[in-house]
């Protein structure tokens, strides 16, 4: 081993150097008079072990130890002091000292600590060699094997052997973050698409924030590629959100001609090896919230807020709006309800989809007695197939709005068909009851309508008023009876007129001649026919 002795007392330096030469003749011994000189030796000579005093001019032993830690110099340090102070020992151990010896130093203790250090250095060398060999092996193996190892790790299904292999890798150590990324293709040809280039570019982009390792989560399909990136970094993602969003936006623009990039970022990991699998699952969950446009393609898990229980659109009010003249009232009611439900992008996508499906099924149940069954089948298909497969909130709302307009049109058509039937039934009823006193109020009550609405309905469907239809029905009956040579007062009574003179005036106005004249013109003709 190469051993450096640091002490400001020349006598102590010589004594310690002679002791080590006697105990371990094969070791190389260097000496330094203070911490500053020792630091230069460590940088240039890279000794395996440093035995240093604490109280020294220029740079004391504890400050020297702290600088070694700050610069990442991994030499083993044993502190030697004449002061048996707990505070010194505690500070030394906190900054990475291997041991703490008291002066005067016993030769057996020095020999013991050097032997233990030699054993530890040998073990660390073997471990480092094995780690380097494993990294080389992994670099030579297929990407499928490497992906399989990482996936098994993230999914918690590693074997003991695989766990040992991965745990030995340097990139598994330290702090960092886990990113779940998805690229969804736009419809169209993808002849220029190179999955390997996509993964390399993704890894390169995340390497701006630390040591990045990206691997595929699925075999590239026609519509989507997924990947996970593990970024080893000491700086929390929370402190770099703006930079990360800018990078993601730039990456999205770069690949926009092929499709859309989205990302989910899990919580910061103090230990990647211990916490990354859980952070990976959190990143997947966060990614689902890209369903909402407001996140612009990247969601940090720690930005998601809890939301209160959902409130569905009022089914009865929605159905009432669907029966109105304009579908927009129902559409706007639905939009407002789902904007509130979405909670500015914090509501879980599956929850919103469930509410949308339930809304459609409630509408189906409410309209089953009003519209054709085909509309009900369309609503069922949307609730069970289209809504669950929606990738974006805007797509979901487009489906809902389309179905609402279709239902509105179907209800309007049903109302129109029903109105036609009611008007036809009303005209038959008038004809059958022409002898009775017929009023608009009586007819409306008979057909369960408001009198004003019923009057408007008849006029809009036939172009004539209710009174016009009553008069026409009575005149048809009157002509039949007069042609049968019935007496005029009998005809008037049969047609609902108690006043014969009034009947005659109405008849003449409608037919251009008096009942008597009509009777005489009609009767000879019928006699001739006989």
């Amino acid at each position: 081993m190469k051993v450096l002795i640091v002490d400001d007392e020349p006598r102590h330096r010589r004594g310690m150097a002679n002791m080590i030469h006697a105990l371990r003749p094969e070791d190389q011994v260097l000496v330094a008079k203070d911490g500053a000189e020792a630091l230069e030796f460590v940088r240039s000579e890279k000794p395996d072990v440093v035995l240093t005093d604490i109280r020294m001019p220029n740079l004391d032993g504890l400050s020297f130890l702290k600088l070694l830690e700050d610069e990442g110099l991994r030499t083993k340090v044993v502190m030697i002091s004449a002061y048996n102070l707990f505070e010194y020992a505690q500070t030394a151990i906190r900054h990475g000292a291997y041991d703490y010896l008291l002066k005067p130093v016993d030769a057996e203790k020095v020999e013991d600590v050097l032997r233990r250090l030699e054993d530890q250095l040998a073990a660390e060398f073997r471990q480092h060699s094995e780690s380097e060999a494993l990294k080389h092996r992994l670099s030579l193996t297929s990407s499928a094997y490497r992906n399989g190892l990482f996936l098994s790790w993230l999914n918690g299904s590693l074997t003991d052997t695989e766990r040992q292999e991965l745990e030995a890798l340097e990139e598994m150590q330290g702090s960092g973050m886990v990113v779940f990324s998805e690229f969804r293709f736009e419809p169209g040809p993808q002849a220029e698409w190179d999955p390997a280039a996509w993964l390399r570019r993704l890894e390169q982009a995340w390497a701006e924030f630390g040591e990045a390792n990206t691997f595929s989560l699925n075999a590239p399909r026609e519509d989507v590629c997924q990947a996970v990136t593990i970024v080893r970094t000491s700086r929390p993602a929370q402190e770099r959100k703006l930079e990360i969003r800018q990078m993601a936006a730039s990456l999205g623009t770069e690949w926009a001609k092929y499709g859309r990039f989205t990302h989910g970022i899990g919580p910061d990991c103090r230990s990647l090896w211990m916490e990354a699998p859980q952070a990976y699952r959190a990143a997947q969950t966060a990614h689902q919230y890209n369903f909402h446009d407001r996140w612009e393609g990247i969601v940090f898990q720690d930005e998601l807020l809890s939301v209160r229980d959902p409130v569905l659109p009022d089914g009865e009010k929605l159905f009432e709006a669907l029966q109105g003249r304009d579908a927009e009232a129902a559409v706007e009611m639905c939009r407002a309800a789902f904007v509130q439900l979405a909670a500015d992008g914090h509501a879980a996508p599956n929850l919103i989809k469930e509410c949308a499906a339930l809304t459609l099924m409630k509408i189906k149940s409410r309209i089953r007695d009003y519209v054709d069954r085909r509309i009900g089948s369309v609503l069922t298909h949307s609730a069970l197939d289209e809504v669950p497969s929606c990738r974006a909130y805007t797509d979901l709302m487009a489906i809902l709005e389309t179905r609402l307009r279709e239902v509105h049109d179907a209800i309007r058509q049903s109302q129109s068909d029903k109105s036609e039937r009611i008007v036809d039934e009303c005209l038959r009823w008038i004809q059958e009851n022409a002898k009775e006193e017929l009023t608009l109020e009586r007819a409306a009550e008979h057909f369960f309508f408001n009198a004003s609405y019923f009057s408007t309905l008849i006029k809009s469907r036939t172009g004539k008023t209710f009174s016009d239809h009553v008069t026409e029905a009575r005149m048809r009956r009157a002509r039949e009876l007069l042609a049968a040579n019935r007496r005029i007062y009998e005809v008037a009574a049969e047609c609902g007129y108690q006043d014969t003179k009034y009947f005659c005036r109405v008849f003449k106005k409608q037919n251009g001649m008096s009942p008597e004249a009509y009777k005489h013109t009609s009767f000879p003709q019928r006699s001739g026919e006989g």
Side-chain angles (χ1 to χ4, degrees), residues 181-222:
S181 299
E182 181 177 277
F183 188 82
R184 190 161 293 277
F185 295 104
E186 293 292 342
Q190 299 159 16
E192 302 176 23
W193 174 257
D194 181 357
W198 174 75
L199 287 172
R200 287 194 301 271
R201 181 65 187 94
L202 186 60
E203 185 173 89
Q204 181 185 15
W206 286 107
E208 294 180 23
F209 305 97
E211 183 182 335
N213 285 282
T214 298
F215 52 95
S216 177
L217 291 172
N218 68 324
R221 304 197 304 267
E222 291 183 0

Side-chain angles (χ1 to χ4, degrees), residues 335-350:
R335 279 183 193 147
F338 275 85
V339 164
Q340 183 177 4
L341 178 63
D344 195 27
H346 293 281
N350 285 341

